[in-house]
Amino acid sequence: MPTLLHIDSSPRCTSVSSRLTAAFVAKWKEQNPGGTIIHHNTSLENFPYLDEATVEAFFTAPAALTSAQKQTLACSDSLVDELLAADVIVLGAPMWNLSIPASLKAWIDLIVRERRTFAFTPRGVAPLVPTDKRVYVFTARGGAYPTGSPFHALDHQEPYLCSILGVIGLTQVEFIHADRQSESPEAAAEGLAHAHTALQSIAD
């Protein structure tokens, strides 16, 4: 049976990004009634930020890990296992200060791991995550950052997520933006409607 990995990052469960991911999950459940859904909210679950002990364990050969280091890596190992098991990944990512919430970055730091999700080779970085996984990113942003606009260069959200997910092999990434959420009520409603239209058009 297929598995969906659902990651939210807004601390508000009724936020725009969370409502959009919930709508996607509901649609996915209709199409995959026997499927498995794994859900996390990175803000509410307080995923640990990297510290010295974790970084040291990351760069220790598996055969040389101590019992304490294995315990330190337990959270990261579990999150990587979930990622590898998933067929589809859906991310809810509000734009905060032109990028992503720190808690979502914490999740990323725990799953982007040498020897588990990528490897260094003489030819560069080699992804270790199967490239057939599809990723859908639902964002909520105060403004709009279209290509060619004076604001496009300020978008450090989509380019970063594309780059870091690509490092580990997640290259089939589709972004659905609910833009202009901090503008007038009419503009916000239009941005949300656009996102819902895009959600409905996502291929099965």
Side-chain angles (χ1 to χ4, degrees), residues 4 6 20-32 37:
L4 171 68
H6 172 196
L20 287 169
T21 60
F24 177 92
V25 170
K27 179 180 178 181
W28 188 88
K29 287 172 65 176
E30 290 179 1
Q31 298 167 348
N32 303 275
I37 298 173

Side-chain angles (χ1 to χ4, degrees), residues 30 54 116:
E30 290 179 1
T54 306
R116 291 232 50 196

Side-chain angles (χ1 to χ4, degrees), residues 113-183:
R113 277 180 56 188
E114 186 182 5
R115 292 188 293 264
R116 291 232 50 196
T117 56
F118 77 94
F120 288 114
T121 75
R123 295 186 178 183
V125 175
L128 299 179
V129 176
T131 58
D132 60 346
K133 299 179 187 292
R134 298 195 64 86
V135 182
Y136 299 95
V137 183
F138 291 90
T139 78
R141 315 198 292 187
Y145 305 84
T147 302
S149 77
F151 299 102
H152 180 66
L154 297 177
D155 179 5
H156 300 287
Q157 180 191 49
E158 181 173 337
Y160 169 69
L161 287 172
C162 278
S163 295
I164 194 62
L165 295 175
V167 164
I168 62 176
L170 299 175
T171 56
Q172 298 189 62
V173 183
E174 182 172 345
F175 285 83
I176 299 90
H177 298 298
D179 285 334
R180 306 175 68 192
Q181 295 304 299
S182 294
E183 298 182 15

Side-chain angles (χ1 to χ4, degrees), residues 24-93:
F24 177 92
V25 170
K27 179 180 178 181
W28 188 88
K29 287 172 65 176
E30 290 179 1
Q31 298 167 348
N32 303 275
T36 298
I37 298 173
I38 302 168
H39 180 229
H40 293 291
N41 184 305
T42 60
S43 287
L44 301 182
E45 295 182 42
N46 297 315
F47 285 147
Y49 297 107
L50 298 187
D51 57 16
E52 183 177 2
T54 306
V55 172
E56 183 176 347
F58 277 177
F59 290 98
T60 299
L65 288 170
T66 66
S67 297
Q69 286 178 315
K70 291 177 181 178
Q71 183 61 37
T72 296
L73 293 178
C75 177
S76 174
D77 284 336
S78 176
L79 296 175
V80 170
D81 289 344
E82 291 174 353
L83 176 72
L84 295 175
D87 301 288
V88 178
I89 299 141
V90 57
L91 304 180

